[in-house]
C-alpha cells in the first residue's frame, strides 16, 4: 500500500490538521473564514464515484463532522457561522477534496462564492497553532 500524499497545491494554502477514518483534514490558511478541507485517502480519487458506496457514506459523515468543527471554530473566535458552504469543485486541483467553510453575513464576500477570489489573509502562527489544537482535540 502506498502512503497517501496530498496534491502539492494543498501544501501551499493549507496545513495538515488530523487524519480521520477516511480523510486527511486540512486547515485552510485564511483568517477570513473557519475553513477545513477533507481529502479522502483513496489513491486516484477524482470524483465521488471513484469512492465505494461505503466510502461515500463515510465521507458524508466526515463532512458533517467537519461542519461541526467549523461552527465550533467560528463560535470560539466570537464570530458564529451563519451558513456552512460545502463543495467538491476540483477544477484547479483534480484530487478529490471537499471544502467546508463557515460563512457570515458580514464577511467581505457575502453572499458571493469564495472560490477563486483574491484576498486571503494568512493565519498568524499563534492562531494557526490554536486552531489546529482545537481541531485535533474536538
Amino acid at each position: 500500500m502506498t502512503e497517501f500524499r496530498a496534491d502539492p497545491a494543498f501544501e501551499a494554502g493549507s496545513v495538515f490538521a488530523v487524519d480521520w477514518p477516511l480523510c486527511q483534514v486540512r486547515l485552510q490558511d485564511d483568517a477570513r473564514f473557519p475553513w477545513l478541507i477533507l481529502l479522502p485517502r483513496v489513491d486516484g480519487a477524482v470524483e465521488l464515484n471513484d469512492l465505494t458506496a461505503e466510502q461515500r457514506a463515510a465521507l458524508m459523515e466526515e463532512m458533517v463532522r467537519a461542519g461541526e468543527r467549523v461552527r465550533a471554530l467560528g463560535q470560539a473566535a466570537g464570530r458564529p457561522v451563519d451558513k456552512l458552504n460545502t463543495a467538491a469543485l476540483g477544477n484547479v486541483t483534480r484530487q478529490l477534496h471537499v471544502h467546508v467553510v463557515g460563512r457570515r453575513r458580514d464577511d467581505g464576500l457575502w453572499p458571493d462564492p469564495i472560490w477563486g477570489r483574491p484576498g486571503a489573509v494568512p493565519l498568524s502562527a499563534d492562531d494557526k497553532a490554536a486552531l489546529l489544537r482545537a481541531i485535533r482535540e474536538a
Side-chain angles (χ1 to χ4, degrees), residues 64-132:
V64 170
R65 185 177 178 189
E68 292 168 350
R69 297 294 185 281
V70 163
R71 284 190 182 280
L73 294 175
Q75 189 70 33
R79 299 182 46 80
V81 169
D82 292 320
K83 178 71 176 90
L84 287 172
N85 287 181
T86 305
L89 303 172
N91 295 341
V92 175
T93 306
R94 288 181 47 83
Q95 183 176 32
L96 180 60
H97 61 285
V98 177
H99 297 268
V100 182
V101 185
R103 299 292 306 273
R104 291 177 48 89
R105 287 178 178 83
D106 63 355
D107 75 43
L109 296 177
W110 185 273
D112 296 333
I114 61 173
W115 320 116
R117 301 285 296 272
V121 177
L123 293 160
S124 71
D126 288 343
D127 287 346
K128 191 181 297 183
L131 290 168
L132 290 170

Side-chain angles (χ1 to χ4, degrees), residues 119-120 125 136:
R136 292 172 182 153

